């Protein structure tokens, strides 16, 4: 038990990252893993390998609660390495790892600058996030990224030599196909409702399509889906919209299995490279 890796992963139930990245990370480190995550991480969490290789220690949601568990494990001699799946506001964990002399590694699965901009965060918060990212990149011995395109992002922090590309989890899974009403055409969308994604133009697009076209959207929070439904209703198009909030990957692909085409509206961002790779997962 003394030579273990702590994997911090704040995630939602629809997030496939920890399910697949753990296996990739374990191959790299060759160590057993203590998984500390958000409320989505439960004892029956579907890991890619057998559960006997992992210990799911606790379900936590804040950096402070994570740090308390790290301290407890370190003092009991159960933690030698720490891998942190970053969020835009993470910074304290890197400092704690440095103070406790824990070998620190980070996982980056997107561009935090784009994420904060899309969510309308104030410029000073974006600057704070950039400073925290500098701290994490400086402290990390290795940076695990889920797509080679993120190397351009890590260049901003002068840490590209530390990058290791791991699988983004897009492995093949069995899909249960859904039957759709014959005679209708279905347009599918999978993703977030961030401004960058361009879903605000979808009601206007559907307005100009023939009456036999329907839209199936998968992704977004309940409030985001409610706003999109409201915009469709304003144009009298509510009967042509099928909405689903964030789903696990298998369910999302099952819902979209019978659509005729998937659409992607992403707006380009000035002076920035393309980010997370393929638009349709």
């Amino acid at each position: 038990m003394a030579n273990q890796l702590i994997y911090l992963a704040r995630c939602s139930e629809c997030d496939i990252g920890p399910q697949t990245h753990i296996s990739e990370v374990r191959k790299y480190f060759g160590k057993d893993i203590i998984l500390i995550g958000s409320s989505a991480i439960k004892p029956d969490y579907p890991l890619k390998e057998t559960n006997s290789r992992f210990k799911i220690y606790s379900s936590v949601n804040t950096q402070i609660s994570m740090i308390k568990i790290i301290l407890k494990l370190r003092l009991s001699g159960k933690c030698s390495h720490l891998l942190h799946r970053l969020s835009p506001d993470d910074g304290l964990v890197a400092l704690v790892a440095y103070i406790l002399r824990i070998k620190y590694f980070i996982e980056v699965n997107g561009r935090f600058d784009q994420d904060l901009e899309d969510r309308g965060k104030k410029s000073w918060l974006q600057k704070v996030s950039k400073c925290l990212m500098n701290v994490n990149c400086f402290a990390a011995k290795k940076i695990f990224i889920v797509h080679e395109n993120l190397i351009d992002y890590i260049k901003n922090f002068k840490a590209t030599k530390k990058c290791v590309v791991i699988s983004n989890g897009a492995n093949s899974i069995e899909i249960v196909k859904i039957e759709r009403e014959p005679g209708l055409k279905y347009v599918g969308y999978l993703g977030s409702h961030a401004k960058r994604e361009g879903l605000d133009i979808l009601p206007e697009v559907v307005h100009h399509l023939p009456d036999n076209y329907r839209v199936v959207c998968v992704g977004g929070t309940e409030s985001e889906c409610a706003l999109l439904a409201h915009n469709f209703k304003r144009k009298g198009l509510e009967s042509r919209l099928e909405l689903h909030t964030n789903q696990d990957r298998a369910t999302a692909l099952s819902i979209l299995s019978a659509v005729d085409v998937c659409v992607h509206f992403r707006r380009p961002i000035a002076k920035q490279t393309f980010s997370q790779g393929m638009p349709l997962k």
Side-chain angles (χ1 to χ4, degrees):
M1 293 287 291
N3 193 26
Q4 291 188 316
L5 166 76
I6 291 182
Y7 182 28
L8 298 182
R10 283 196 285 174
C11 58
S12 63
E13 293 182 11
C14 65
D15 199 329
I16 64 172
Q19 300 177 35
T20 53
H21 298 171
I22 284 178
S23 298
E24 297 292 320
V25 167
R26 192 181 188 283
K27 292 175 185 176
Y28 183 88
F29 287 101
K31 298 180 183 298
D32 290 331
I33 291 176
I34 297 175
L35 175 60
I36 300 175
S38 63
S39 57
I41 307 295
K42 300 172 183 176
D44 59 349
Y45 197 74
L47 299 171
K48 193 174 180 181
E49 297 187 21
T50 59
N51 285 337
S52 61
R53 288 186 166 181
F54 308 97
K55 180 180 178 182
I56 301 177
Y57 189 84
S58 182
S59 296
V60 293
N61 291 297
T62 67
Q63 290 189 70
I64 299 300
S65 54
M66 285 182 173
I67 289 170
K68 288 180 179 178
I69 295 176
I70 293 170
L71 285 169
K72 182 177 179 180
L73 291 172
R74 184 56 168 166
L75 293 174
S76 62
K78 294 181 180 179
C79 172
S80 58
H81 294 64
L82 173 62
L83 173 64
H84 193 190
R85 189 169 193 257
L86 291 182
S87 297
D89 60 345
D90 288 326
L92 289 177
V93 172
L95 297 175
V96 170
Y98 178 79
I99 293 170
L100 296 179
R101 296 184 179 180
I102 300 173
K103 293 181 179 178
Y104 185 65
F105 304 82
I106 60 175
E107 177 187 322
V108 181
N109 55 34
R111 296 189 59 126
F112 297 146
D113 53 350
Q114 288 184 358
D115 182 62
L116 292 172
E117 182 179 332
D118 289 342
R119 298 178 188 280
K121 300 297 183 182
K122 295 180 180 179
S123 59
W124 69 267
L125 286 175
Q126 297 179 35
K127 291 177 181 177
V128 169
S129 178
K130 186 175 181 179
C131 289
L132 294 177
M133 189 63 181
N134 266 309
V135 170
N136 278 290
C137 288
F138 175 79
K141 293 187 177 298
K142 290 290 181 183
I143 301 171
F144 294 92
I145 57 176
V146 299
H147 196 285
E148 60 185 10
N149 284 357
L150 287 173
I151 291 176
D152 285 342
Y153 175 51
I154 302 301
K155 280 182 181 178
N156 297 324
F157 310 101
K158 298 179 174 60
T160 54
K161 291 182 178 180
K162 297 181 179 181
C163 289
V164 177
V165 181
I166 61 175
S167 169
N168 66 359
N171 53 301
S172 59
I173 58 175
E174 184 177 350
I175 300 173
V176 179
K177 291 190 175 182
I178 293 178
E179 295 294 328
R180 296 288 182 184
E181 185 177 341
L184 297 179
K185 295 292 184 181
Y186 289 89
V187 177
Y189 172 79
L190 172 63
S192 77
H193 290 227
K195 183 179 179 181
R196 175 177 87 243
E197 305 299 348
L199 281 189
D200 52 299
I201 70 171
L202 188 54
E204 187 65 23
V205 170
V206 175
H207 176 71
H208 291 284
L209 291 175
D211 291 340
N212 65 329
Y213 276 74
R214 302 290 184 270
V215 175
V216 181
C217 286
V218 181
T221 64
E222 289 186 5
S223 60
E224 289 171 335
C225 288
L227 177 60
L228 185 60
H230 174 72
N231 290 337
F232 266 76
K233 188 173 182 179
R234 288 176 58 189
K235 287 185 171 292
L237 301 171
E238 61 270 24
S239 63
R240 298 171 65 178
L241 175 66
E242 178 184 322
L243 272 174
H244 302 268
T245 55
N246 291 324
Q247 306 290 320
D248 63 78
R249 184 165 178 257
T251 302
L253 294 181
S254 178
I255 293 170
L256 294 169
S257 62
V259 301
D260 296 283
V261 62
C262 281
V263 294
H264 189 65
F265 302 110
R266 177 173 290 185
R267 295 178 170 94
I269 298 178
K271 298 181 181 179
Q272 293 186 5
T273 58
F274 295 107
S275 55
Q276 289 89 353
M278 296 300 292
L280 299 179
K281 304 173 181 65

